């Protein structure tokens, strides 16, 4: 595993940062950009995020907004007194681009679209290949080839950290059995109805940081009576409670919103804690429910 000593950017807060297995720091809160489309929408959301202390921006090739993010950052970073080094930028390999050569082309394309010499984190977005049946064993070979490419680009300094998204324990065990560079991050759907405690424990033991997407259950959980009850008890918003529930387990979050007011609300997570009773009541909602994609059947 390639290790390096990284300095914490002056604009970041130590207590809002996790140190990855590469030795690099990563903010615990980021702005997700899934379904954030159009130059103006991207600019407004990023402006609100940077103005409220966000330092991580999460995108992906399949989101189709990498160029819009480049344009917004080039305009907004100077306005907020920030430089490229103050921003942790994540993108992801599209499921259509699995394979050694395809993955390299796709990664370099994302770097060009984002206008960067390097990415702070690059993830394999999905363990299967687009167009290939989930049960097809060829999925395994394809993602192994993709990982070898990510390792090469990591060694070349193009990718400061590499990881995966939507992997199960089985997929992770397969990867760890043959990789030179272990994944730094696993990004998965994670919320009280899908607590994934076994997966979280596995990642802790293997030194892989777990990052949550869809922390609000695509918005369905903010109205759950149990969540509203905890929020009222805390004097907080339901969305803030759901995000704090993940953070208190050491899981980072990347809530997305096109609403500038919600971007501001979603970062008010640091001066308070959920009680043990709060945590237990929220965790009791766990029923294995997914609001997004299920990778369990991908070979």
């Amino acid at each position: 595993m390639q290790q390096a000593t990284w300095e914490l950017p002056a604009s970041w807060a130590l207590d809002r940062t996790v140190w990855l297995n590469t030795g690099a720091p990563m903010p615990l809160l980021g702005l997700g950009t899934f379904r954030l489309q159009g130059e103006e929408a991207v600019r407004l959301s990023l402006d609100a995020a940077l103005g409220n202390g966000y330092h991580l921006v999460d995108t992906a090739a399949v989101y189709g907004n990498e160029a819009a993010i480049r344009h917004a950052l080039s305009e907004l970073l100077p306005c907020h007194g920030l430089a490229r080094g103050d921003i942790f930028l994540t993108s992801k390999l599209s499921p259509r681009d699995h394979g050694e050569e395809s993955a390299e082309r796709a990664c370099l394309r994302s770097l060009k679209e984002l206008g960067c010499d390097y990415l702070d984190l690059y993830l394999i977005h999905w363990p299967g290949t687009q167009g290939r049946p989930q049960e097809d064993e060829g999925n395994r070979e394809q993602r192994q080839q993709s990982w070898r490419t990510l390792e090469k680009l990591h060694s070349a300094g193009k990718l400061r950290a590499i990881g995966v998204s939507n992997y199960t324990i089985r997929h992770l065990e397969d990867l760890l059995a043959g990789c030179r560079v272990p994944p730094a991050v696993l990004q998965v759907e994670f919320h009280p109805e899908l607590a994934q405690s076994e997966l979280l424990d596995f990642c802790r033991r293997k030194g892989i940081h777990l990052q949550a997407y869809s922390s609000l259950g695509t918005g369905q959980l903010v109205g759950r009576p149990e969540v509203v009850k905890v929020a009222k008890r805390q004097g907080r918003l339901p969305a803030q409670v759901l995000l704090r529930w993940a953070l208190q387990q050491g899981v980072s979050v990347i809530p997305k919103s096109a609403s500038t007011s919600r971007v501001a609300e979603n970062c008010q997570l640091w001066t308070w804690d959920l009680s043990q009773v709060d945590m237990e009541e929220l965790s009791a909602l766990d029923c294995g429910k997914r609001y997004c994609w299920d990778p369990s059947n991908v070979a």
Side-chain angles (χ1 to χ4, degrees):
M1 178 172 62
Q2 180 174 324
Q3 285 283 357
T5 301
W6 305 98
E7 291 186 4
L8 190 73
S11 58
W12 296 13
L14 181 61
D15 63 346
R16 304 177 187 184
T17 303
V18 62
W19 295 86
L20 302 178
N21 62 19
T22 60
M26 183 180 81
L28 285 164
L29 170 68
L31 178 72
T33 64
F34 176 54
R35 289 181 177 166
L36 193 60
Q37 294 293 324
E39 296 274 345
E40 184 64 9
V42 169
R43 191 189 68 79
L44 287 172
S45 187
L46 275 171
D47 193 24
L50 296 175
N52 282 280
Y54 289 70
H55 292 284
L56 187 155
V57 179
D58 178 275
T59 186
V62 297
Y63 298 172
N65 58 17
E66 290 176 320
I69 288 172
R70 178 184 82 240
H71 298 152
L73 288 177
S74 66
E75 174 190 344
L76 295 171
L77 287 178
C79 296
H80 290 277
L82 301 171
R84 168 66 181 93
D86 293 301
I87 299 301
F88 190 102
L89 197 52
T90 300
S91 194
K92 310 179 192 77
L93 178 75
S94 169
R96 69 172 178 267
D97 291 322
H98 272 298
E100 290 192 32
E101 294 182 1
S102 295
E104 182 166 5
R105 285 195 301 268
C107 180
L108 295 178
R109 186 165 57 245
S110 285
L111 283 165
K112 182 178 179 180
E113 288 289 293
L114 288 162
C116 295
D117 295 325
Y118 70 92
L119 287 172
D120 297 279
L121 177 64
Y122 193 69
L123 306 175
I124 290 179
H125 207 156
W126 183 253
T129 301
Q130 184 175 315
R132 188 182 290 270
Q134 288 196 356
E135 67 276 8
D136 189 331
E137 283 295 327
N139 285 308
R140 181 173 177 270
E141 174 58 28
Q142 286 283 286
R143 65 176 176 266
Q144 286 177 338
Q145 290 179 19
S146 297
W147 190 256
R148 288 195 290 269
T149 293
L150 267 59
E151 288 179 326
K152 181 178 75 171
L153 294 170
H154 173 63
S155 296
K158 295 289 187 182
L159 309 173
R160 290 191 169 176
I162 53 177
V164 293
S165 182
N166 296 301
Y167 273 40
T168 65
I169 290 178
R170 173 173 54 83
H171 297 135
L172 288 172
E173 287 177 332
D174 187 50
L175 172 58
L176 290 169
C179 67
R180 291 186 297 105
V181 180
V185 173
L186 168 65
Q187 188 184 106
V188 291
E189 182 179 352
F190 182 87
H191 46 69
E193 287 189 340
L194 188 66
Q196 306 224 58
S197 55
E198 187 178 355
L199 180 62
L200 177 57
D201 181 63
F202 179 89
C203 287
R204 285 171 174 163
R205 287 187 283 108
K206 299 298 183 180
I208 303 168
H209 176 73
L210 193 72
Q211 186 176 64
Y213 73 75
S214 194
S215 296
L216 313 185
T218 63
Q220 301 301 306
L221 294 179
V222 295
R224 281 291 300 264
E226 299 88 343
V227 178
V228 173
K229 176 184 175 182
V230 173
K232 288 182 177 179
R233 193 158 63 213
Q234 283 284 345
R236 299 286 171 177
L237 296 171
Q240 293 169 338
V241 161
L242 290 165
L243 294 168
R244 185 68 206 176
W245 174 83
L247 287 171
Q248 282 188 212
Q249 298 179 74
V251 176
S252 60
V253 292
I254 47 170
K256 65 98 178 175
S257 181
S259 164
T260 57
S261 61
R262 287 179 181 164
V263 170
E265 291 166 355
N266 287 344
C267 72
Q268 297 171 22
L269 306 171
W270 308 107
T271 59
W272 55 284
D273 292 300
L274 293 170
S275 69
Q276 183 175 346
V277 171
D278 294 333
M279 292 293 290
E280 290 173 353
E281 288 183 7
L282 292 170
S283 296
L285 295 174
D286 186 22
C287 58
K289 183 172 183 177
R290 294 181 183 271
Y291 290 90
C292 301
W293 309 274
D294 187 354
S296 302
N297 295 322
V298 179

